[in-house]
């Protein structure tokens, strides 16, 4: 029985369709039964014949019924489970539980005051104007918009000495996707991936996932130990020479050259993560390994997350020429990761010099914060706290000379609304346990300067370091 | 010898630094040699002492020199290769060669007139306003912005019957990245991936790359053959039930239910690619498999590329609840793929109903194009050309009854400036060669209606079908 309710928002043909589906599901209409001719049903319901036809077409398209030459529209045989089709229920929302901290020493987030809202809005609107001039809106180039790759090639050359044509640059939405690409490119190797220990824990999963052995390489005071490297047989090694994560060590030029010699001799590729090289406060950025590499063994990677903002989700990979064919073969069917508009805006931002202005502004802000924090720690904690690696980038290490464990430090800080982080995740093979004192990894981007003294006095108290 | 040129744009400290590096590289300054005290050098060069100190600090930071207590600054021992450090040369640009076609029957690009520039600009600016209110700019949620996931959950429920909470939705930048995630999630299985034959060739590389066997499953007239499926032992199978790619077949309801029964019985997961389900011209979209699934065996995937624009690079994956923990474990360290601003704008676009208005506008445009094209093909080619699957989406198949090969059709069309495509890449195991006639896959988005007659008359001539 079909009942039409003209007061409902549901279109009438839809009501007819639903009533018939319901009859078929309940068995009121059985396999082989004929539907009423559309003209007749239209009369009965006092609706237009097209309305009924539309409902019938829908049933036909979905296979509930079939139209046989000369015998009208008949109901198809349905599996018994049709009657169990669930009524779609409204999706339930589960709220994320957010912990409540007044201050957070995370190094990832960014001070919102450091984001150039006005400039970025202008870049986005310019990009929109540019896009309106395009003749068609096709799938964008797989490795990124040429405008952005050109702007980056020129910027990286000038600021980091990187020698690369735009074709060598691949735009992605983050370090992890860069690493996925590299894990794929070296998938036919011995699958031995080396990385600094301690080193950034966020790079391990991509290589674990791709079936690699992850080999920890120890550090000396200047960064990765080349002696230790030489003992291993690797396909590729991930390092952070400009500002070792997390120790902050800077690889000196002599070691850079030695490293490149080793890479060439042993045919090992180096992944150079230059992630916050631009944020050096006291000296210029040190030339990248890529700029010193004659043998095409350095794969350069960087992001806009630190010196622009993590919310932009933009990273880049500079591949040596020799790897481009392989990249094309293995990754050629993946589409570009970033919206075209975003890429064009970013190209404008870099090309116009606004990006560099922003880097300089950030440096000034972070340097002031870093100096004040260092002074306050010195004043309030003396030699009970040692800070490492704060002359660049947005994090440093804090060795707390106490008998408390890192977990106790974290929990006691949490009790006064302050979030701090252990560096334990960055260490492999139990190396963290060999440290004489608990170690925290500290970032200042979202910590206000005028609250620092108060926070540190609070920590001193709850950490029993008064 | 240090020579300062005050007319250069290069800062003076940089000139000093470069001169000293050059002296060290050439051997003019050897290991153990002392640098001139900064005060003295500053006097000699008539520059400020801070300028010299800045140059020295840079040399120290990079390890060219060291500062020993009481003995000033001395040059370090350098490996011999230092002298070979290349002068960074300007990156060279290689122009992409673009073929010149007046008309292109690609199905991927979009008619630029169909893009809602004004609305999208408004959404972007609204998103910027919203972002300015955020307290910090942290790394965004790994699976996407909650605003967008909520808008999508509600939209997909209403339009496609998809039953999912926002937590089950993962926002990515394209189908390929969805498939990478799935290849990872099923990496501990037998690694047997089934897909329609013919089927979308763009899904194979992700599973090949992850070491899967790709098992082609034959079709019958209604889409994937369930009989053929039942003969295979699979972990997961990729299908396009709403509009089979490339044949255009629509899987009827009875087969949908049978498929779900099979999936439950055999513990096989179904990847339902609902890629252009919204663009049906003559009937409503057919309910998704996901909406009929009681057993949690359907993984739903879709994109904004077809019904909004490919330049937005946005796709989504709806995971069954049972897979969420595994996803978190294996993919939890990957960051969100899309800029926050873009996600917020898209949430606004969907939430406000603008997306649906856009889909309806597109349907109207595409339906008109499709009707005209069909009429013209009928008029100009009669039964020499057969069209399939054009009642939905943005592509259909064209069987050309000729003795020419597909390559000949393509080349002859190119000679008159028209780009057409063979469907051969979509077929596995030589199935294409069994077709009686060459088959093209045809899209109309960028082909202007007023040029269609001219183009088809041209093709009829060069294809010898007059």
């Amino acid at each position: 029985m079909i009942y039409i309710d003209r007061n409902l928002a549901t279109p009438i043909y839809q009501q007819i369709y639903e009533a018939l589906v319901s009859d078929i599901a309940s068995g009121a209409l059985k396999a082989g039964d004929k539907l009423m001719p559309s003209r007749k049903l239209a009369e009965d319901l006092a609706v237009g014949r097209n309305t009924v036809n539309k409902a019938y077409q829908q049933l036909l398209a979905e296979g509930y019924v079939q139209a046989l030459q000369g015998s009208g529209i008949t109901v198809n045989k349905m599996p018994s489970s049709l009657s169990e089709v669930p009524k779609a229920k409204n999706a339930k929302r589960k709220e994320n539980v957010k912990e409540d901290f007044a201050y957070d020493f995370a190094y990832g987030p960014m001070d919102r005051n450091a984001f150039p809202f006005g400039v970025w809005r202008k870049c986005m609107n310019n990009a929109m104007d540019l896009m309106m001039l395009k003749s068609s809106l096709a799938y964008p180039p797989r490795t990124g918009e040429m405008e952005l790759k050109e702007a980056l090639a020129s910027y990286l050359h000038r600021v980091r000495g990187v020698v690369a044509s735009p074709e060598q640059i691949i735009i992605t939405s983050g370090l992890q996707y860069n690493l996925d690409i590299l894990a794929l490119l070296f998938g036919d190797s011995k699958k031995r991936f080396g990385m600094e220990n301690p080193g950034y824990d966020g790079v391990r999963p991509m290589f674990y996932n791709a079936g690699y052995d992850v080999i920890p390489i120890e550090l000396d005071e200047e960064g990765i130990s080349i002696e230790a490297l030489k003992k291993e047989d690797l396909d590729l090694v991930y390092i952070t020479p400009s500002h070792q994560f997390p120790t902050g060590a800077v690889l000196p030029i002599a070691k850079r050259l030695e490293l490149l010699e080793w890479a060439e001799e042993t045919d090992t590729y180096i992944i150079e993560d230059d992630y916050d090289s631009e944020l050096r406060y006291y000296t210029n950025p040190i030339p990248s390994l890529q700029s010193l590499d004659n043998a095409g063994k350095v794969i350069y990677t960087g992001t806009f997350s630190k010196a622009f903002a993590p919310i932009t989700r933009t990273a880049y990979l500079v591949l040596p020429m020799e790897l481009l064919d392989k990249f094309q073969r293995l990754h050629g069917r993946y589409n570009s990761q970033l919206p075209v508009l975003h890429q064009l805006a970013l190209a404008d931002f870099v090309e116009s010099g606004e990006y560099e202005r922003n880097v300089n502004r950030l440096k000034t802000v972070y340097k002031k914060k870093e100096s004040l924090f260092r002074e306050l720690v010195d004043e309030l904690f003396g030699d009970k706290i040692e800070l490492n690696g704060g002359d660049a980038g947005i994090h440093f290490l804090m060795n707390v000379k106490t008998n408390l464990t890192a977990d106790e430090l974290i929990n006691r800080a949490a009790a006064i609304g302050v979030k701090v982080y252990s560096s334990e995740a960055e260490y492999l093979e139990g190396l963290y346990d060999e440290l004489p004192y608990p170690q925290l990894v500290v970032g200042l981007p979202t910590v206000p300067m005028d609250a620092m003294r108060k926070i540190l006095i609070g920590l001193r108290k709850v950490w029993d370091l008064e």
Side-chain angles (χ1 to χ4, degrees), chain A:
Chain A
M1 175 63 208
I2 300 176
Y3 174 74
I4 302 290
D5 182 349
R6 288 171 202 276
N7 295 320
L8 287 180
T10 314
I12 289 170
Y13 83 91
Q14 181 80 20
Q15 295 187 36
I16 299 172
Y17 158 82
E18 284 175 4
L20 289 168
V21 166
S22 163
D23 283 354
I24 294 170
S26 71
L29 279 170
K30 292 186 188 59
D33 282 357
K34 271 190 202 174
L35 296 192
M36 210 182 274
S38 58
R39 194 168 34 87
K40 174 98 180 43
L41 183 59
E43 276 172 29
D44 281 8
L45 298 174
V47 301
R49 190 170 166 194
N50 276 343
T51 305
V52 175
N53 278 338
K54 206 167 169 191
Y56 282 13
Q57 272 165 26
Q58 181 79 7
L59 293 168
L60 277 164
E62 298 184 9
Y64 286 102
V65 299
Q66 56 182 325
L68 296 173
Q69 207 78 43
S71 52
I73 294 177
T74 57
V75 175
N76 280 332
K77 195 169 172 313
M78 291 291 132
S80 57
S81 62
L82 178 59
S83 50
E84 297 158 20
V85 171
K87 286 273 171 234
K89 51 196 168 298
N90 263 316
K92 263 181 239 154
R93 190 197 306 184
K94 199 175 70 186
E95 290 295 341
N96 279 332
V97 183
K98 273 215 173 162
E99 291 165 313
D100 199 23
F101 289 100
Y103 302 108
D104 189 341
F105 282 94
Y107 62 88
M110 188 183 180
D111 185 349
R112 65 173 302 295
N113 298 315
F115 189 84
F117 286 102
V119 172
W120 188 242
R121 193 191 289 265
K122 205 165 136 262
C123 290
M124 291 295 303
N125 279 302
N126 288 348
M128 186 72 87
D129 293 342
L130 203 64
M131 207 171 71
M132 288 177 74
L133 300 172
K134 297 213 165 193
S135 62
S136 86
L137 304 176
Y139 278 82
R142 297 179 196 279
T143 59
E145 293 297 314
M146 193 43 92
E147 286 89 339
L148 178 55
K149 302 207 294 177
E150 281 172 0
L152 254 179
S154 147
Y155 172 79
L156 291 175
H157 177 61
R158 195 158 40 79
V159 172
R160 307 293 301 126
V162 169
V163 183
S165 74
E167 281 70 25
Q168 291 172 261
I169 298 182
I170 294 150
I171 307 292
T172 74
S173 40
L175 173 63
Q176 298 88 31
Y177 304 97
N178 288 349
L179 297 177
D180 265 0
I181 290 172
L182 295 176
L184 180 61
L185 289 191
F186 288 87
D188 56 357
S189 72
K190 297 179 297 283
K191 292 201 165 186
R192 290 177 58 84
F193 167 72
M195 64 173 287
E196 300 153 329
N197 185 21
Y200 179 43
D201 69 317
V203 310
R204 287 177 223 142
M206 292 83 226
F207 288 92
Y208 283 138
N209 282 345
Y212 282 74
D213 284 331
V214 175
I215 319 285
I217 310 291
E218 67 186 52
L219 307 182
D220 56 31
E221 300 215 329
E222 299 173 320
I224 197 159
S225 157
I226 296 183
E227 226 169 302
L229 254 186
K230 286 182 174 170
K231 289 184 197 143
E232 300 289 345
D233 180 22
L234 304 171
D235 301 299
L236 72 174
V237 57
Y238 169 88
I239 61 174
T240 48
S242 294
H243 189 221
Q244 204 277 332
F245 188 89
T247 67
V250 176
L251 204 68
I253 185 78
K255 278 185 78 172
R256 287 182 189 230
L257 295 167
E258 205 185 334
L259 192 61
L260 291 171
E261 270 171 28
W262 165 82
E264 185 170 2
E265 274 164 25
T266 58
D267 195 22
T268 312
Y269 280 85
I270 296 171
I271 306 171
E272 176 181 26
D273 187 350
D274 212 24
Y275 71 104
D276 62 7
S277 60
E278 296 145 308
L279 298 171
R280 294 196 70 78
Y281 309 137
Y282 301 106
T283 58
N284 264 352
I286 293 177
S288 63
L289 274 178
Q290 205 271 5
S291 71
L292 304 169
D293 173 31
N294 289 319
K297 288 294 168 199
V298 175
I299 298 162
Y300 183 85
T301 170
T303 85
F304 285 91
S305 294
K306 303 289 182 264
F308 181 29
I311 54 162
T312 64
R313 310 302 319 121
T314 312
Y316 42 88
L317 191 61
V318 183
L319 289 180
M321 282 292 186
E322 300 80 54
L323 292 178
L324 291 184
D325 280 349
K326 200 169 181 185
F327 170 81
Q328 184 50 38
R329 187 155 43 81
L330 293 174
H331 212 265
R333 289 309 300 265
Y334 290 70
N335 277 306
S336 165
Q337 290 194 323
L338 287 160
V340 171
L341 200 63
H342 177 78
Q343 293 190 51
L344 296 179
L346 205 49
D348 185 12
F349 189 62
V350 173
E351 182 78 28
S352 65
E354 291 290 352
Y355 176 58
E356 240 168 311
R357 264 191 285 284
N358 199 56
V359 170
N360 289 329
R361 218 154 46 87
L362 271 184
K363 273 205 281 200
T364 310
V365 174
Y366 288 164
K367 184 179 170 179
K368 265 193 209 150
K369 280 195 169 178
E370 195 263 352
S371 303
L372 176 64
F373 188 77
R374 201 173 276 279
E375 275 169 40
L376 288 171
V377 167
D378 195 43
E379 176 196 330
L380 295 167
F381 291 89
D383 57 4
K384 289 179 199 150
I385 282 188
E386 188 188 88
L387 295 178
N388 289 129
D391 53 343
I394 52 173
H395 79 273
F396 37 86
L397 288 181
M398 188 189 243
N399 297 301
V400 186
K401 299 187 182 168
T402 173
N403 291 325
L404 298 174
T405 63
D407 278 348
E408 285 168 332
L409 295 180
I410 291 168
N411 292 334
R412 290 180 179 203
I416 57 167
V418 177
K419 187 155 190 173
V420 298
Y421 303 83
S422 155
S423 66
E424 185 170 5
E426 325 302 341
Y427 288 80
L428 281 171
E429 297 190 328
L431 204 60
Y432 183 84
D433 300 329
E434 293 175 20
L435 295 177
Y437 299 106
Q439 188 178 70
L440 304 177
V441 55
V442 167
L444 303 177
T446 67
V447 179
M449 286 179 74
D450 56 13
M452 277 184 190
R453 177 177 288 274
K454 184 180 74 179
I455 297 170
L456 288 172
I457 289 176
L459 289 176
R460 188 173 62 169
K461 190 170 160 65
V462 294
W463 287 352
D464 298 333
L465 293 173
E466 283 176 323

